Amino acid sequence: KLDKITARHIQKFINDLFLNEKSFTTGKPLSRKTVIHHLNFISSAFNYAVRMGLIQDNPCSRVTVPKQESKEKEIYTIAEMEQIFEKLETEPLKYRMFIMLAVYSGCRRSELLGFEWKDVNFDDSLIQVKRTSNYSPKRGMYTDTTKTKKSQRILKFPPIIMDMLKEHKEKQDYERERMGSKWIDSDRLFVQWDGRPLHNNTPYTWFLRFCERSGFRFCDLHSMRHFHASVLINAGVDVASVSGDLGHATVGTTMNIYCHVFQEARVKNCEAITAALDFKKTKSDRISDRGEDGEENNERVAV
């Protein structure tokens, strides 16, 4: 009965979800986020019972969810990304376009697959993020809204990306004409051989095989998003701008995910200001910093 359930009973149930193989889909333990959802659901039932006077307090208030060991995000280095870009030059345009868009935009895989040609503004080099393309065993391929309202955003791209998009569109238009009535027009940038939206797992599988045959270490496609964010942060871009670029609901989300990257960037800030204010240079060092006209070559710091 409800009044006989104790915090100990609920704690045992929560631990079981977290530690044992309880997922009907994967057969693995549930993630900490999912376990918290279960606890919140149970807690809401007990809160109702308290309001109705059936029990004195909510035992869920004394239950804790075990902490999950955080894994270090696998992110490519700049040198590795340079090698990947070089190797992509000989790969099919569709997949080269997908990987480079992922890096330059920081978009989620579902957002990239949701891009449609009407979202592309070639005149101003802009692309609107308006929808996602998803897959589930029950629903198959389906179109959905973005993860949050702030995920709907407009992104600016350099000429190298826009030129590739134009080439990609020309090839897709050619295939549309060649296929005739067999072509299923979805207006998507990334499609299958007959025009249908590209399956969500296809880019992942292709990139995995690409890394294997090229001898690169494999970081999943989401690592492109982390790489994008890391480059912005290390370049000194403020957290609000990074958050907006990634389409996060709040700045706090960006801070939580990339806390360690911001900390590393702050170390560089400290080193920079320390070097700038190092007034204990020797006389010979100062002379070497001056040009032939006697003026210092380094820029002055405006205070």
Side-chain angles (χ1 to χ4, degrees):
K1 292 184 178 181
L2 196 64
D3 60 349
K4 300 299 181 183
I5 299 177
T6 66
R8 184 180 178 184
H9 293 131
I10 301 172
Q11 185 70 67
K12 183 179 179 181
F13 173 73
I14 292 299
N15 291 347
D16 188 51
L17 291 178
F18 187 74
L19 300 175
N20 297 320
E21 300 175 353
K22 291 295 181 180
S23 173
F24 294 133
T25 305
T26 64
K28 298 180 180 180
L30 300 180
S31 68
R32 190 172 191 272
K33 183 177 180 181
T34 304
V35 173
I36 291 173
H37 285 325
H38 280 69
L39 180 59
N40 289 341
F41 177 76
I42 297 169
S43 181
S44 65
F46 277 101
N47 282 335
Y48 179 78
V50 171
R51 291 198 303 271
M52 295 297 103
L54 299 176
I55 54 177
Q56 294 298 317
D57 72 331
N58 184 347
C60 292
S61 61
R62 298 185 293 279
V63 174
T64 60
V65 178
K67 291 186 177 181
Q68 196 169 26
E69 185 179 352
S70 59
K71 296 181 180 179
E72 188 70 21
K73 294 181 179 66
E74 291 285 336
I75 305 177
Y76 289 111
T77 64
I78 294 290
E80 287 176 320
M81 191 58 68
E82 182 181 6
Q83 293 178 342
I84 289 173
F85 274 25
E86 288 178 359
K87 193 66 177 179
L88 283 173
E89 290 294 330
T90 59
E91 298 296 327
L93 178 61
K94 177 170 65 177
Y95 296 111
R96 177 163 35 115
M97 185 78 257
F98 188 93
I99 300 301
M100 293 188 69
L101 262 179
V103 173
Y104 275 90
S105 70
C107 285
R108 304 171 179 91
R109 173 172 40 169
S110 59
E111 292 173 342
L112 291 168
L113 292 172
F115 281 169
E116 296 183 358
W117 288 113
K118 60 176 169 284
D119 304 325
V120 182
N121 182 339
F122 284 106
D123 293 332
D124 299 322
S125 301
L126 304 173
I127 300 180
Q128 286 186 299
V129 183
K130 301 176 68 174
R131 72 193 66 77
T132 60
S133 181
N134 306 282
Y135 171 83
S136 71
K138 291 184 178 179
R139 299 178 61 178
M141 296 290 299
Y142 67 95
T143 301
D144 204 350
T145 57
T146 53
K147 190 172 183 179
T148 66
K149 287 186 178 180
K150 287 193 175 181
S151 294
Q152 296 187 11
R153 57 203 187 277
I154 300 176
L155 303 174
K156 179 81 172 180
F157 291 92
I160 185 175
I161 294 296
M162 301 311 295
D163 290 343
M164 289 180 65
L165 276 172
K166 290 176 182 177
E167 184 183 355
H168 181 53
K169 190 175 190 312
E170 288 175 1
K171 290 191 174 183
Q172 196 177 105
D173 289 342
Y174 172 79
E175 285 299 311
R176 181 186 293 107
E177 293 181 6
R178 190 178 69 85
M179 294 288 294
S181 60
K182 293 181 180 180
W183 183 269
I184 302 172
D185 196 2
S186 63
D187 198 41
R188 293 289 169 85
L189 269 65
F190 300 102
V191 297
Q192 301 180 45
W193 65 274
D194 59 354
R196 290 178 297 161
L198 195 66
H199 193 283
N200 287 57
N201 289 336
T202 302
Y204 179 94
T205 304
W206 181 88
F207 188 63
L208 173 61
R209 292 173 179 171
F210 165 79
C211 289
E212 289 175 347
R213 67 174 180 266
S214 303
F216 299 139
R217 70 185 179 106
F218 174 70
C219 300
D220 64 27
L221 287 176
H222 203 70
S223 69
M224 304 300 176
R225 181 170 168 85
H226 296 319
F227 177 86
H228 176 91
S230 298
V231 170
L232 294 183
I233 294 167
N234 285 306
V237 178
D238 63 277
V239 61
S241 297
V242 175
S243 182
D245 199 55
L246 296 174
H248 284 156
T250 64
V251 172
T253 301
T254 311
M255 286 298 300
N256 289 336
I257 296 175
Y258 300 104
C259 177
H260 66 290
V261 183
F262 279 108
Q263 288 174 348
E264 291 173 0
R266 290 192 188 100
V267 171
K268 294 180 180 179
N269 293 344
C270 177
E271 293 173 351
I273 191 67
T274 301
L277 300 178
D278 184 8
F279 302 128
K280 295 182 179 180
K281 288 185 176 181
T282 63
K283 186 176 181 180
S284 59
D285 289 335
R286 292 183 183 278
I287 292 174
S288 66
D289 287 341
R290 297 177 183 275
E292 294 180 356
D293 58 356
E295 294 293 330
E296 290 194 6
N297 291 326
N298 58 302
E299 296 181 0
R300 298 182 182 274
V301 179
V303 180

